[in-house]
Amino acid sequence: MAWKTLDDMQLAGKRVLTRVDVNVPVADGVVTDDTRIQRILPTVRDILAAGGKPILMAHFGRPKGKVVPEMSLRVVVPALSKALGCEVKFADGNYGAAVDALAEGEVLLLENLRFNPGEEKNAPEFAARLATLGDIYCNDAFSAAHRAHASTEALARLLPACAGRLMQAELSALEGALGTPKRPVMAVVGGAKVSTKLELLGNLVEKVDHLVIGGGMANTFLAAQGIDVGKSLAEHEMTDTARDILAKAKAANCNVILPSDVVVAREFAANAANETVAADACPADAMILDAGPESVATIAEALANSKTLIWNGPLGAFEIQPFDAATNAAAKQAAELSRAGKLISVAGGGDTVAALNKADAAKDFTYISTAGGAFLEWMEGKTLPGVAALEG
Ligand code: ADP
Ligand code: MG
């Protein structure tokens, strides 16, 4: 890897400016899900253990360069202190004085960086000001690495820089899945719309051996083949694009797996009356809400022969039963193969992670990315500014 980790840095006695993502959900002043806080603990603990002083920097919400009291990061201090098992200090005004007052063994959190307009502008002056607060820069916010902001990009070029533990884990998992993967590689791309995942599909067909297209976007591909998809969610203006992707896949020897049978219903609702029909036989007044059992079997066979899986987007309307069946079946199989050491499985995306949790499969996946946008951009083959800056 081209970037350094905490192991490469001399941390003792050093102020370690650490970019984290603690943009957690809050209701009535209380953190309701501390997953993101849990994920940064290894980095903070390792800095402390090496005698360094962690100075945490983060954003919270979208205050657009202004001080918005409701978006103060102070709200996460109790949850952060509890998770770390020590008191976390907070700096909302004079950062320099708070940093100077920080003793060894203590942790400091700076106020929402996005209160300053320089943060999102990647302004050199703001980065230079931040740089005076630390001796070493550590980026542990992979989920913010697709944005070139002062704390993710410019600052990394001003101080000796390294990746934190979470960043390291994300990058290693993604590199293992798409960079230098064990073949055959299968990608599963589903979800609602082709238009949001176009670049993703375009990149994947050149890199993977099997590409399963599911969910609403499969309907657009069926329509592109002249199939009437009735009232299904489909983007008819995208059919040319879908045909281009199929042609690109063929040229790259990528095996595209589209549904051969589908589960249709007359309404988008739980337990709606439904039937399974061939993919080209959706009734005019019905909509496709899931892949059928024959499709599930085709996916299962390809998956059993794959060594690596990368997954974004559910195969059907997984929120409503029984249209979660195809997603659940593939998720459970991937979990079993991973548990048996036969498959490297990496998944990401808000709804995807929810679907894998619902199928009780997430815990057996090799890696679940919590980075929504950054994960997608990485899968699209883009260079992430925050990662590039670490590479120097
Ligand atoms: P992620 O958040 O993991 O990137 P998406 O947001 O792209 O995933 O897609 C998830 C959404 O796609 C879910 O809300 C799901 O209901 C919807 N979806 C999947 N298949 C269908 C379908 N056949 N018809 C309508 N919506 C679907
Ligand atoms: Mg989503």
Side-chain angles (χ1 to χ4, degrees):
M1 299 283 168
W3 26 268
K4 294 194 164 81
T5 71
L6 287 170
D7 302 318
D8 301 310
M9 315 307 267
Q10 295 294 330
L11 300 171
K14 298 284 169 54
R15 302 167 300 167
V16 187
L17 269 176
T18 308
R19 179 57 158 100
V20 294
D21 183 357
V22 288
N23 197 14
V24 291
V26 167
D28 300 322
V30 177
V31 174
T32 53
D33 177 353
D34 75 344
T35 308
R36 282 187 160 153
I37 290 176
Q38 292 296 332
R39 289 211 161 198
I40 63 161
L41 298 182
T43 291
V44 182
R45 288 191 177 131
D46 284 359
I47 294 170
L48 286 171
K53 296 179 183 174
I55 300 159
L56 309 182
M57 309 174 288
H59 71 279
F60 191 60
R62 296 175 185 274
K64 306 242 164 83
K66 292 197 193 68
V67 176
V68 180
E70 306 81 72
M71 294 185 195
S72 171
L73 262 175
R74 195 182 280 280
V75 71
V76 310
V77 169
L80 192 55
S81 301
K82 190 173 163 223
L84 272 169
C86 72
E87 189 201 339
V88 173
K89 309 225 150 148
F90 187 71
D92 64 354
N94 190 337
Y95 289 172
V99 168
D100 289 345
L102 194 66
E104 201 171 302
E106 291 181 341
V107 179
L108 178 68
L109 173 66
L110 304 184
E111 178 58 290
N112 193 348
L113 294 176
R114 289 190 186 166
F115 282 1
N116 191 303
E119 166 64 359
E120 291 185 79
K121 289 192 185 121
N122 199 19
E125 318 80 65
F126 185 54
R129 222 183 102 201
L130 290 174
T132 64
L133 304 172
D135 307 300
I136 289 171
Y137 171 77
C138 172
N139 191 346
D140 208 27
F142 177 79
S143 53
H146 58 314
R147 307 233 155 85
H149 290 173
S151 67
T152 61
E153 210 276 339
L155 179 57
R157 303 189 186 277
L158 299 178
L159 292 174
C162 70
R165 299 305 185 201
L166 177 56
M167 173 73 87
Q168 215 181 319
E170 290 269 0
L171 291 176
S172 309
L174 298 181
E175 173 66 19
L178 268 193
T180 47
K182 280 195 186 163
R183 294 192 176 272
V185 185
M186 174 190 271
V188 172
V189 180
K193 292 181 168 177
V194 174
S195 53
T196 58
K197 296 187 180 175
L198 201 59
E199 292 180 80
L200 177 67
L201 292 166
N203 184 43
L204 288 177
V205 292
E206 307 217 310
K207 299 220 166 116
V208 305
D209 305 291
H210 305 286
L211 173 63
V212 175
I213 300 178
M217 69 168 63
N219 303 337
T220 302
F221 280 84
L222 294 175
Q225 297 175 337
I227 291 170
D228 183 357
V229 294
K231 292 207 154 52
S232 302
L233 173 70
E235 293 167 288
H236 293 281
E237 70 286 359
M238 297 294 294
T239 49
D240 282 344
T241 309
R243 277 190 291 270
D244 288 347
I245 290 169
L246 293 176
K248 202 173 163 192
K250 197 166 180 206
N253 259 325
C254 169
N255 170 36
V256 174
I257 301 176
L258 279 165
S260 56
D261 62 343
V262 291
V263 183
V264 303
R266 264 81 188 171
E267 51 172 342
F268 189 98
N271 305 313
N274 62 82
E275 57 191 301
T276 299
V277 298
D280 61 358
C282 176
D285 64 343
M287 57 188 136
I288 299 169
L289 291 181
D290 198 11
E294 186 184 280
S295 310
V296 169
T298 307
I299 295 168
E301 198 188 325
L303 186 56
N305 288 314
S306 297
K307 294 223 160 57
T308 303
L309 168 70
I310 183 150
W311 187 341
N312 171 262
L315 293 174
F318 77 99
E319 301 97 330
I320 49 173
Q321 276 182 3
F323 309 105
D324 56 354
T327 303
N328 285 346
K332 283 185 191 304
Q333 187 194 358
E336 266 168 43
L337 290 168
S338 307
R339 206 168 43 224
K342 293 180 182 154
L343 182 74
I344 295 167
S345 50
V346 177
D351 290 292
T352 309
V353 176
L356 296 182
N357 277 325
K358 196 162 164 271
D360 199 26
K363 62 180 192 312
D364 289 316
F365 268 59
T366 313
Y367 195 76
I368 300 274
S369 173
T370 49
F375 175 77
L376 278 178
E377 290 199 18
W378 192 90
M379 273 179 81
E380 286 164 2
K382 292 189 181 144
T383 301
L384 307 184
V387 177
L390 282 184
E391 286 169 351

